[in-house]
Amino acid sequence: VQLQASGGGLVQAGGSLRLSCAASLRTFSAYGMGWFRQAPGKEREFVAGISRSGVSTNYADSVKGRFTISRDNAENTVYLQMNSLKPEDTAVYYCAANRVGVRIQANLYDYWGQGTQVTVSS
């Protein structure tokens, strides 16, 4: 199983990025998906989650109204659209898959991608 995250980069504050995560899961639609991030010296934190069908989503308070998670089950891909980026959004972003649904806890996820760096300059 592979989760390949991409789309990170360097952007100025107020800018936008779109992260993608391509999954090699045989039954992608059977997995809830999530995005987490980890800044230097900090613990990994939940950013956004989406249910297997894509109907339900959940966001960390720090990104509500700025980030949008979505998925395309036909393409086995989950996305994270990030708008109005702030320097405090700088982190390595990871996508993850779980067999249950929308979950905040990292330890409930079964598979993890390698991460993509997002750097927001002020």
Side-chain angles (χ1 to χ4, degrees), residues 99-116:
R99 294 184 176 90
V100 181
V102 182
R103 290 295 180 267
I104 296 175
Q105 303 92 331
N107 62 357
L108 295 180
Y109 283 77
D110 303 289
Y111 303 108
W112 290 83
Q114 85 290 358
T116 185

Side-chain angles (χ1 to χ4, degrees), residues 7-56:
L10 174 63
V11 64
Q12 288 188 331
S16 298
L17 283 174
R18 188 194 196 200
L19 305 184
S20 299
C21 175
S24 66
L25 297 164
R26 179 179 294 183
T27 53
F28 178 71
S29 61
Y31 289 81
M33 300 298 295
W35 286 97
F36 290 76
R37 66 188 182 186
Q38 187 167 18
K42 295 188 177 181
E43 294 187 353
R44 189 171 299 190
E45 64 175 357
F46 171 80
V47 175
I50 189 166
S51 63
R52 289 169 284 190
S53 66
V55 171
S56 298

Side-chain angles (χ1 to χ4, degrees), residues 59-81:
Y59 297 91
D61 288 342
S62 59
V63 307
K64 278 181 182 176
R66 301 188 297 122
F67 291 10
T68 302
I69 188 171
S70 61
R71 66 188 296 162
D72 184 339
N73 285 346
E75 296 293 329
N76 280 23
T77 303
V78 63
Y79 303 97
L80 185 68
Q81 178 66 44

